[in-house]
């Protein structure tokens, strides 16, 4: 009886092992098949992109070919979006794309250091923030995102040392998607370049950021596209278009994106690429400053050549040269303002100013919302000292425009008034 039970148990275990092995093999086969098919789809998309780019290179640019070039650019933008996010991917950097590094956002402004390996990003982070980031003579020393915080004019600015990127980063090479996804969350990007290496690195980084939906030193186009249920395509030009946009080009691009009924209003002179960016609706418009590091290895004549470039700061992070000018450029380009708070009956708090970001002068209401959104519910008036006040002090309402280093005292309603 014991032998019979043992033999039955062995046969049962053998059958269950065979079933589990068969299931494992089948699941492994399905997974490998999915990966293979996904790889084939990606290679097909890349092949189509290369074909369209070759056709665009062969096509002469003139008024007669604007329609054809617009069609090609629309197809190219859609294919690149699919390449980044998979079939049906709407936008670069969304949940379908590879996630960036998990770094908690802190401080008043976030700055990202982007560049090729071994250009001095880690040394620059250490010089700016005092945070220790490993630096060595070999490439790819930094393998993850290293955050640091620097304090300038009372503002706490978070600086991210991102791993070095390579050509093809937007397609995922060398963890490039993670790097650029994190760069999209920054208020400003510093492209760190080695002053002793060719400027082709600058063009490569610009192209990688462009492919991932980051528009360098640009503002969103003043274009309005309103989708409708019927009525076809309505097209209006408030400004004369001289960069290739016409009624026919707009219609063919909208058709490529399967938009058959919409109202298009162009309020400025734009290119075909800018019109496609508006349709995509996922572009990040981020200010960029070019930091030419290691200038201690250049001659005066070479520095004079670099001085002809716009939006650049030469420095040496190892010797600490020109760091103050870099910090001032960051302050100016991020449009930061300092507003000091003054409690009733006390002196102003000059140690911890409220930092506002605004291209125009911010209002009292924006200042209150920066402190807490519930303040405006009990807001009565504000007392302001500083350059924005006509006399010292001045009683102001919520629409008063503030200037840098103003002192503000908020007064709440009393007695239900």
């Amino acid at each position: 009886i014991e032998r019979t039970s043992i033999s039955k148990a062995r046969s049962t275990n053998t059958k269950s092992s065979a079933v589990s092995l068969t299931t494992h093999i089948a699941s492994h086969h399905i997974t490998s098949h999915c990966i293979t098919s996904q790889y084939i789809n990606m290679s097909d998309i890349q092949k189509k992109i290369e074909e369209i780019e070759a056709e665009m290179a062969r096509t002469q640019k003139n008024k007669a070919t604007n329609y054809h070039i617009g069609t090609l650019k629309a197809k190219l933008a859609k294919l690149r979006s699919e390449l980044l996010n998979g079939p049906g991917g709407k936008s670069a950097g969304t949940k379908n794309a590879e996630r960036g590094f998990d770094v908690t956002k802190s401080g008043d402004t976030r700055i990202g250091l982007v560049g090729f390996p071994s250009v001095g990003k880690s040394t620059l982070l250490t010089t700016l923030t005092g945070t220790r980031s490993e630096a060595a003579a070999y490439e790819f020393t930094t393998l993850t995102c290293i955050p640091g915080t620097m304090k300038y004019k009372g503002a706490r600015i978070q600086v991210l040392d991102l791993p070095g990127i390579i050509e093809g980063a937007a397609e995922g090479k060398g963890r490039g998607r993670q790097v650029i996804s994190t760069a999209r969350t920054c208020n400003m990007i510093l492209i760190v370049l080695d002053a002793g290496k060719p400027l082709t690195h600058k063009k490569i980084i610009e192209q990688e950021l462009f492919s991932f939906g980051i528009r360098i030193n640009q503002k969103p186009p003043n274009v309005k596209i309103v989708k409708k249920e019927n009525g076809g395509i309505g097209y209006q030009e408030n400004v004369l278009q001289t960069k290739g946009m016409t009624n026919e080009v707009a219609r063919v691009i909208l058709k490529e994106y399967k938009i058959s009924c919409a109202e298009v209003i162009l309020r400025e002179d734009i290119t075909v690429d800018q019109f496609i960016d508006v349709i995509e609706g996922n572009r990040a418009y981020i200010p960029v400053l070019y930091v030419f590091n290691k200038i201690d290895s250049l001659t005066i004549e070479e520095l004079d050549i670099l001085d002809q470039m716009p939006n650049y700061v030469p420095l040496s992070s190892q010797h600490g040269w020109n760091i103050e000018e870099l910090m001032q450029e960051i302050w100016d380009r991020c449009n930061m303002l300092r507003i000091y708070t003054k409690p009733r009956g006390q002196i102003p708090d000059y140690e911890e100013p409220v930092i506002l970001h605004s291209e125009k002068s911010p209002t009292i209401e924006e200042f209150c919302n920066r402190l807490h959104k519930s303040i405006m519910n009990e807001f009565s008036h504000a007392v302001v000292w500083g350059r924005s006040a006509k006399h010292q002090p001045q009683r102001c309402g919520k629409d008063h425009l503030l200037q840098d280093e103003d002192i503000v005292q908020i007064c709440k309603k009393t007695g239900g008034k």
Side-chain angles (χ1 to χ4, degrees):
I1 294 172
E2 290 179 357
R3 288 179 181 178
T4 305
S5 60
I6 292 173
S7 62
K8 286 182 179 181
R10 287 178 178 175
S11 62
T12 303
N13 292 335
T14 304
K15 288 179 181 179
S16 60
S17 300
V19 171
S20 61
L21 180 61
T22 306
T23 306
H24 176 72
I25 293 173
S27 62
H28 177 73
H29 176 71
I30 292 172
T31 305
S32 61
H33 176 71
C34 293
I35 294 173
T36 306
S37 61
Q38 184 180 4
Y39 176 77
I40 292 173
N41 292 333
M42 299 289 277
S43 62
D44 290 341
I45 293 173
Q46 186 64 42
K47 187 177 180 181
K48 290 179 182 178
I49 290 176
E50 293 175 356
E51 291 175 355
I52 293 175
E53 288 177 342
E55 186 174 354
M56 289 178 61
R58 293 194 302 265
T59 306
Q60 295 182 353
K61 295 182 179 180
N62 51 54
K63 291 183 178 180
T65 59
N66 280 343
Y67 183 90
H68 181 59
I69 291 177
T71 307
L72 293 177
K73 285 185 175 181
K75 291 181 179 178
L76 190 61
K78 286 192 67 178
L79 289 172
R80 282 176 174 167
S81 181
E82 290 184 8
L83 186 65
L84 291 174
N85 308 287
K90 170 63 179 171
S91 58
T94 56
K95 61 181 180 180
N96 295 324
E98 190 171 353
R99 292 182 59 189
F101 298 99
D102 292 328
V103 181
T104 303
K105 193 170 185 177
S106 64
D108 302 300
T109 305
R110 172 180 273 196
I111 307 296
L113 304 181
V114 176
F116 274 76
S118 298
V119 294
K121 298 188 299 298
S122 299
T123 307
L124 181 59
L125 176 73
T126 304
T127 304
L128 290 175
T129 67
T131 303
R132 176 64 180 170
S133 182
E134 186 178 355
Y138 53 86
E139 295 186 349
F140 297 104
T141 309
T142 304
L143 300 178
T144 186
C145 180
I146 309 295
T149 303
M150 72 175 184
K151 200 164 186 178
Y152 183 68
K153 293 185 177 181
R156 291 175 292 108
I157 302 174
Q158 185 182 40
V159 184
L160 303 182
D161 178 18
L162 298 170
I165 65 174
I166 58 176
E167 189 171 1
E171 300 170 9
K173 295 182 180 178
R175 303 184 74 180
R177 286 194 188 183
Q178 284 184 282
V179 174
I180 303 178
S181 293
T182 307
R184 283 177 64 100
T185 66
C186 297
N187 299 100
M188 184 178 183
I189 296 176
L190 300 184
I191 296 181
V192 185
L193 301 167
D194 190 340
K197 292 184 179 179
L199 289 178
T200 52
H201 289 181
K202 173 176 174 291
K203 291 291 184 183
I204 293 173
I205 294 175
E206 288 175 347
Q207 183 59 41
E208 296 301 329
L209 296 178
F210 182 88
S211 299
F212 210 77
I214 297 177
R215 299 297 174 258
I216 294 174
N217 294 328
Q218 297 182 23
K219 294 182 179 180
N222 193 1
V223 176
K224 189 174 183 180
I225 301 177
V226 181
K227 295 182 181 180
K228 304 182 296 184
E229 294 183 0
N230 50 38
I233 302 295
Y235 180 81
Q236 299 180 28
E237 292 181 1
N238 294 350
V239 178
L240 180 64
Q241 300 296 312
T242 62
K243 300 179 182 179
M245 278 301 301
T246 61
N247 186 7
E248 293 77 14
V249 173
R251 289 176 182 274
V252 72
I253 293 175
L254 291 172
K255 182 180 178 182
E256 188 67 32
Y257 281 89
K258 298 180 180 179
I259 301 175
S260 57
C261 298
E263 193 69 30
V264 179
I265 304 174
L266 306 183
R267 297 193 176 101
E268 67 172 302
D269 191 10
I270 63 170
T271 63
V272 176
D273 291 327
Q274 288 177 309
F275 185 71
I276 294 173
D277 289 344
V278 174
I279 297 175
E280 287 278 348
N282 61 348
R283 305 312 191 207
Y285 297 87
I286 302 176
V288 167
L289 191 64
Y290 300 97
V291 178
F292 283 89
N293 197 11
K294 305 179 183 180
I295 60 171
D296 50 303
S297 61
L298 299 183
T299 62
I300 299 297
E301 291 76 13
E302 291 172 331
L303 282 175
D304 290 338
I305 296 174
L306 287 179
D307 193 49
Q308 301 174 8
M309 292 186 56
N311 304 316
Y312 99 106
V313 173
L315 56 83
S316 174
S317 55
Q318 183 176 2
H319 299 285
W321 297 349
N322 218 23
I323 298 297
E324 185 66 28
E325 181 182 349
L326 173 63
M327 298 172 75
Q328 183 61 43
E329 283 287 338
I330 293 173
W331 177 271
D332 294 337
R333 291 175 184 270
C334 290
N335 302 308
M336 288 189 280
L337 298 175
R338 293 162 290 179
I339 307 296
Y340 302 109
T341 57
K342 182 186 181 303
R344 187 188 296 269
Q346 301 180 25
I347 62 173
D349 183 7
Y350 293 107
E351 297 296 328
E352 295 291 336
V354 178
I355 305 298
L356 299 178
H357 296 265
S358 179
E359 295 184 6
K360 302 177 182 179
S361 297
T363 63
I364 294 286
E365 185 175 4
E366 293 177 18
F367 169 74
C368 292
N369 290 332
R370 180 71 172 84
L371 294 175
H372 200 281
K373 292 183 179 180
S374 65
I375 293 180
M376 289 306 300
N377 297 331
E378 304 176 3
F379 177 82
S380 172
H381 63 276
V383 182
V384 179
W385 294 260
R387 289 184 295 175
S388 68
K390 294 181 181 179
H391 46 82
Q392 309 296 330
Q394 180 182 352
R395 176 171 172 158
C396 306
K398 65 177 183 178
D399 297 325
H400 176 77
L401 299 179
L402 298 171
Q403 295 187 25
D404 189 27
E405 293 191 286
D406 277 355
I407 301 172
V408 178
Q409 177 180 302
I410 304 297
C411 300
K412 296 182 179 181
K413 297 176 182 178
T414 58
K417 297 181 180 180

